[in-house]
């Protein structure tokens, strides 16, 4: 059985806590020559800056070799099946970091693989981002326990929201999801299993006095055809100075990036003292190290 990381729904609470603890250790250490001789592939079907670079760098900092695979150069792009490709990758690699346009594809890849697969974003989840962001929240608030913080996610019920909901449910976080009704289906379904998590659609009341306000793009990669209608439907869900001023005195603003400035967030919020977006981006490196160490160990 390989140690894959496909979904935060599947991972045990103890393994999640173990990874979070290891991020801190690796952030202090910066490198660890523990996995030399191993090769970790990176297969990306969608664009990426942060996730790709942080994983490539993390793999080499752990002593392993990062092998970026251009999907258009493989037989996958000429119709070879996912299952056959997965079997072949298992012969040559020790692990694979995979960003895909379809969650069912990564599940199938994993089912046919004898090496661990890491989900580097699918249309349904972005687990490595949320592990990193939870680490950033804990790091920022230092002595205040995670479950004592009021955390609000605003926006689309997308891959970021879904992974957040699974992690929040598992870790007993005090979290609310504020989303237009038309777009809340996926999060509503996940929350059936976590009755303590809340869902709402009134941003002003939801943002009142929260410690963390987090948002993501209204139109995720692959949904560009819906962009025009989404701009209209999400108009009242922008994080601007008025909304930020409605959060508590010591609150922080978070975004996984890239941001669509002027849509889900204004430039002044991104630049404000409360914004910890670059801490989030930096911590993706140490998170990638902890995740690769976890799957290879
Ligand atoms: N946050 C994130 O996953 O960014 P990239 O798409 O640049 O990897
Ligand atoms: N929800 C966004 C996240 C990007 C990191 C997307 O899927 O495009």
């Amino acid at each position: 059985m390989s140690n894959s990381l496909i979904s935060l729904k599947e991972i045990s609470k103890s393994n999640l806590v173990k990874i979070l603890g290891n991020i801190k250790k690796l952030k202090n250490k910066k490198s660890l020559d523990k996995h030399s001789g191993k090769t970790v592939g990176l297969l990306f079907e969608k664009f990426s800056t942060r996730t790709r670079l942080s994983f490539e760098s993390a793999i080499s900092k752990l002593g392993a070799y990062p092998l970026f695979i251009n999907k258009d150069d493989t037989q996958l792009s000429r119709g070879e099946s996912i299952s056959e490709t997965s079997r072949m990758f298992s012969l040559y690699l020790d692990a694979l970091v995979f960003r895909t346009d379809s969650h069912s594809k990564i599940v199938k890849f994993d089912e046919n693989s004898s090496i661990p697969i890491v989900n580097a974003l699918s249309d349904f989840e972005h687990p490595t981002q949320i592990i990193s962001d939870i680490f950033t929240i804990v790091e920022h608030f230092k002595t205040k326990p995670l479950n004592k913080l009021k955390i609000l996610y605003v926006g689309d019920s997308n891959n970021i929201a879904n992974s957040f909901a699974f992690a929040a449910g598992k870790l007993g976080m005090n979290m609310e999801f504020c989303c237009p009704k038309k777009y809340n289906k996926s999060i509503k379904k996940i929350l059936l299993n976590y009755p303590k998590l809340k869902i709402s659609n009134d941003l002003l009341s939801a943002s009142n006095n929260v410690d963390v306000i987090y948002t993501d793009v209204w139109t995720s990669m692959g949904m560009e055809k819906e962009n025009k209608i989404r701009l209209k439907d999400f108009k009242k869900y922008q994080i601007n100075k008025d909304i930020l001023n409605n959060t508590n005195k010591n609150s922080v603003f978070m975004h996984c990036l890239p941001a669509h400035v002027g849509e889900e967030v204004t430039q002044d919020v991104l630049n404000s003292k409360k914004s910890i977006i670059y801490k989030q981006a930096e911590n993706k490196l140490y998170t990638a190290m902890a995740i690769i160490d976890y799957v290879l160990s």
Side-chain angles (χ1 to χ4, degrees):
M1 261 268 299
S2 66
N3 237 358
S4 289
L5 177 60
I6 306 294
S7 162
L8 292 184
K9 183 182 177 191
E10 317 294 346
I11 193 170
S12 70
K13 181 179 173 182
S14 63
N15 280 341
L16 187 53
V17 170
K18 194 167 108 186
I19 294 172
L20 286 165
N22 211 16
I23 301 173
K24 194 174 162 65
K25 285 188 201 145
L26 288 164
K27 187 166 181 175
N28 292 332
K29 255 197 154 90
K30 306 279 191 224
S31 69
L32 184 71
D33 199 17
K34 187 173 160 191
H35 296 289
S36 62
K38 293 179 184 165
T39 302
V40 180
L42 299 112
L43 180 64
F44 279 58
E45 293 183 327
K46 285 178 162 182
F47 298 106
S48 174
T49 297
R50 284 147 283 267
T51 310
R52 176 182 166 181
L53 292 181
S54 58
F55 270 98
E56 281 202 47
S57 177
I59 292 160
S60 65
K61 283 178 194 295
L62 292 171
Y65 180 73
L67 179 67
F68 187 77
I69 304 149
N70 184 350
K71 81 172 166 75
D72 294 332
D73 292 344
T74 66
Q75 299 288 6
L76 198 56
S77 67
R78 294 181 60 247
E80 192 166 24
S81 70
I82 290 283
S83 52
E84 188 73 350
T85 305
S86 174
R87 279 191 202 109
M88 295 305 118
F89 276 29
S90 299
L91 300 176
Y92 313 122
L93 303 172
D94 294 284
L96 178 73
V97 178
F98 186 19
R99 173 169 285 199
T100 177
D101 49 24
S102 145
H103 195 73
S104 56
K105 208 187 269 183
I106 195 167
V107 169
K108 192 159 187 194
F109 210 103
D110 188 45
E111 281 166 0
N112 288 281
S113 164
S114 57
I115 57 166
I117 309 295
V118 175
N119 181 356
L121 181 148
S122 69
D123 53 341
F124 184 62
E125 274 208 57
H126 197 357
T128 68
Q129 178 71 45
I130 295 308
I131 294 176
S132 186
D133 292 336
I134 291 175
F135 173 80
T136 304
I137 294 170
V138 172
E139 181 185 53
H140 179 85
F141 286 96
K142 293 187 181 90
T143 52
K144 203 164 174 187
L146 183 62
N147 58 9
K148 292 277 182 277
L149 297 167
K150 276 174 82 177
I151 301 175
L152 177 68
Y153 172 89
V154 182
D156 190 21
S157 151
N158 61 13
N159 42 14
I160 292 287
N162 295 340
S163 286
F164 232 143
F166 288 129
K170 214 152 263 185
L171 297 173
M173 288 158 60
N174 177 2
M175 186 153 187
E176 181 163 335
F177 294 82
C178 183
C179 178
K181 276 192 183 151
K182 183 178 162 189
Y183 295 91
N184 74 9
K185 281 194 192 66
S186 151
I187 213 75
K188 219 172 159 184
K189 199 168 157 203
I190 295 172
L191 262 47
L192 290 176
N193 290 317
Y194 305 112
K196 277 192 186 159
L197 303 179
K198 289 181 226 126
I199 189 160
S200 63
N201 58 8
D202 178 346
L203 178 56
L204 199 61
S205 101
S207 58
N208 186 34
N209 215 26
V210 296
D211 297 293
V212 176
I213 188 161
Y214 191 120
T215 194
D216 183 22
V217 292
W218 297 334
T219 307
S220 286
M221 288 182 276
M223 292 181 167
E224 287 79 7
K225 273 194 194 141
E226 297 175 20
N227 190 41
K228 221 168 153 190
I229 179 84
R230 282 173 171 266
L231 285 181
K232 228 167 98 191
D233 291 342
F234 282 93
K235 208 169 160 212
K236 287 196 285 183
Y237 292 82
Q238 184 187 66
I239 312 299
N240 52 36
K241 261 283 156 67
D242 290 342
I243 296 298
L244 201 61
N245 288 339
N246 193 39
T247 64
N248 88 29
K249 195 167 85 216
N250 299 314
S251 68
V252 290
F253 168 78
M254 298 178 77
H255 193 309
C256 59
L257 301 179
H260 294 170
V261 184
E263 294 182 15
E264 77 278 3
V265 62
T266 54
Q267 188 69 58
D268 54 355
V269 168
L270 284 166
N271 293 347
S272 81
K273 281 194 180 138
K274 286 179 180 285
S275 169
I276 55 167
I277 54 173
Y278 296 114
K279 278 194 188 169
Q280 284 178 262
E282 183 195 343
N283 284 333
K284 279 176 71 80
L285 173 63
Y286 312 114
T287 303
M289 289 175 77
I291 287 168
I292 294 298
D293 186 41
Y294 164 76
V295 301
L296 288 180
S297 296

